[in-house]
Amino acid sequence: MRFAIRLSVVLSLLAAVSTGCSWVDDDLSDCETEYTLDYELRLVTNMTAELQTQLSLDTDLAVSTALKDYLSNIFTDYAHDVDLGFYDVEEDSVLLYRESHIMDANQTSYTIFIPVRQYMHLAMANVSRNQELVFRGADYCHRAQLAQQETLDTIAPHRAGIFTARLPMDIKEGEDQQFDVSLYMANCASALVIDTLGSGIRDMKVYLGGFATGFNICDSLYRFNDISPLVRPDRIEVKGSTSLCFAAAHFPSREPEVSKTIIDVDDSSTIPEGEDNLWKAWIYVSLPDGTITQNVLGFNSPIRSGHLKLLKGKVYTNGVVATEDPTVTVSIAIDWVPGLEIPVDL
């Protein structure tokens, strides 16, 4: 599925090369040349197909509706904020100009004044809505990175879809030019739907891990650490259902071969058998007798940017969670005694 937002942005560029114009000038009438940048948010996602495939039964309707509502802030064609950076293309690629705006709209226009020259342009949308992320290295193009808070054991999910773009721009004096900037989604989402009918369990807690800890905007590459914070998915309230539903937005998992941005809706590729799982879910089930059953689910197919991965399962009276997905591995510890409050290693 593909959605688009077109943001028409008019740049008034100061021709500072031969006219003697400076960043600040009382009379700019002889220095201004208009150029156009068209920004388009391109959401390529499998969300609708995943929900329809995994939640196709009539009994799943309430869960599907609740998940659609929760994910509406993630897989959306609406941009809340936009950050525009223009970098030098020589030496350290230092930041030359930057602007941030609150959009809250599908279309908007800005007037920006920057000198005629070559730039590497980086753009981000919806970053301010994700408090668990920090924007690092903003002063240099190749260091600009969106990174997770790494001082915590667990982190909350992303609260909005993150879109980024990068585009070389050669601004030339006296020429009519138009630049098209396509922003693609940099995060994704996962959901677990666990049927509790007849289980008699007291409670369930879920943690997710194995995702990227950072995203280099200029190179469109993800960064991974050996030990990283686990994601605490939100529990989604589903009225009239015996299922517990957990969902979270986060960065993608590792790829079987390389970790990078892939705009693709094919979920067929899996890591070769015998290698480590690409990402995991820890499910802790509290039973009436006070014991806890630990279930560690290992996923062998990657979650890519713009994707949703949904897994259905069933929990039994002993706290064991079973799934019909043959690509998911399960490790079970009955009467589990925690050494730490949560797991920290993948």
Side-chain angles (χ1 to χ4, degrees), residues 34-204:
E34 288 192 352
Y35 298 85
T36 299
L37 269 75
D38 289 327
Y39 291 82
E40 186 177 26
L41 272 70
R42 300 173 65 87
L43 174 58
V44 182
T45 179
N46 69 336
M47 184 193 71
T48 299
E50 184 76 353
L51 291 175
Q52 290 177 346
T53 301
Q54 300 296 334
L55 302 175
S56 59
L57 302 178
D58 292 339
T59 54
D60 295 327
L61 179 60
V63 176
S64 179
T65 300
L67 273 175
K68 285 180 181 178
D69 182 64
Y70 175 84
L71 296 170
S72 63
N73 291 325
I74 309 301
F75 300 101
T76 179
D77 61 351
Y78 187 85
H80 171 262
D81 56 89
V82 64
D83 187 290
L84 310 176
F86 298 84
Y87 292 83
D88 193 359
V89 296
E90 298 180 356
E91 297 180 354
D92 292 334
S93 300
V94 67
L95 177 67
L96 299 174
Y97 188 72
R98 181 184 178 191
E99 280 198 6
S100 298
H101 298 274
I102 299 298
M103 290 172 41
D104 283 336
N106 285 1
Q107 295 183 1
T108 188
S109 297
Y110 307 114
T111 299
I112 303 175
F113 296 91
I114 54 177
V116 170
R117 63 179 300 161
Q118 290 185 341
Y119 296 92
M120 173 59 77
H121 176 42
L122 303 185
M124 303 180 295
N126 291 336
V127 174
S128 69
R129 300 183 67 183
N130 292 286
Q131 301 301 316
E132 298 296 331
L133 294 176
V134 293
F135 183 30
R136 297 175 178 170
D139 291 337
Y140 298 93
C141 182
H142 295 287
R143 301 180 189 176
Q145 176 190 161
L146 291 173
Q148 296 284 176
Q149 296 278 7
E150 297 181 7
T151 59
L152 305 174
D153 291 330
T154 65
I155 56 175
H158 297 171
R159 297 305 176 188
I162 304 168
F163 291 81
T164 68
R166 68 287 310 150
L167 180 72
M169 295 173 56
D170 185 6
I171 307 298
K172 298 179 180 179
E173 183 182 358
E175 294 187 14
D176 294 332
Q177 293 176 274
Q178 178 173 327
F179 299 92
D180 295 322
V181 185
S182 296
L183 293 91
Y184 288 95
M185 194 170 179
N187 52 355
C188 57
S190 56
L192 297 176
V193 179
I194 310 298
D195 183 11
T196 66
L197 182 63
S199 66
I201 66 170
R202 293 172 52 191
D203 194 17
M204 181 181 296

Side-chain angles (χ1 to χ4, degrees), residues 199-216:
S199 66
I201 66 170
R202 293 172 52 191
D203 194 17
M204 181 181 296
K205 292 184 179 181
V206 176
Y207 300 94
L208 305 172
F211 308 122
T213 57
F215 179 68
N216 288 1

Side-chain angles (χ1 to χ4, degrees), residues 168-332:
M169 295 173 56
D170 185 6
I171 307 298
K172 298 179 180 179
E173 183 182 358
E175 294 187 14
D176 294 332
Q177 293 176 274
Q178 178 173 327
F179 299 92
D180 295 322
V181 185
S182 296
L183 293 91
Y184 288 95
M185 194 170 179
N187 52 355
C188 57
S190 56
L192 297 176
V193 179
I194 310 298
D195 183 11
T196 66
L197 182 63
S199 66
I201 66 170
R202 293 172 52 191
D203 194 17
M204 181 181 296
K205 292 184 179 181
V206 176
Y207 300 94
L208 305 172
F211 308 122
T213 57
F215 179 68
N216 288 1
I217 300 171
C218 180
D219 302 319
S220 191
L221 293 176
Y222 292 100
R223 302 173 65 91
F224 294 85
N225 291 342
D226 292 336
I227 299 178
S228 60
L230 299 182
V231 178
R232 305 184 306 270
D234 294 318
R235 182 179 295 196
I236 311 301
E237 296 297 329
V238 184
K239 294 182 179 180
S241 175
T242 60
S243 293
L244 293 178
C245 182
F246 300 85
H250 42 71
F251 279 136
S253 69
R254 295 181 185 272
E255 286 288 325
E257 296 180 357
V258 292
S259 298
K260 62 181 180 179
T261 299
I262 298 178
I263 307 302
D264 192 350
V265 294
D266 179 11
D267 282 322
S268 61
S269 63
T270 60
I271 194 168
E273 185 176 351
E275 296 190 19
D276 292 337
N277 300 124
L278 295 175
W279 59 286
K280 294 181 180 181
W282 287 264
I283 304 176
Y284 297 92
V285 181
S286 298
L287 303 179
D289 62 2
T291 62
I292 297 175
T293 300
Q294 180 197 57
N295 298 265
V296 183
L297 277 58
F299 295 84
N300 295 326
S301 58
I303 307 183
R304 294 168 175 151
S305 54
H307 278 204
L308 167 68
K309 173 62 178 179
L310 190 152
L311 180 72
K312 292 178 64 178
K314 168 72 176 177
V315 61
Y316 294 92
T317 56
N318 59 357
V320 172
V321 175
T323 173
E324 295 182 357
D325 189 334
T327 68
V328 176
T329 63
V330 182
S331 176
I332 300 169

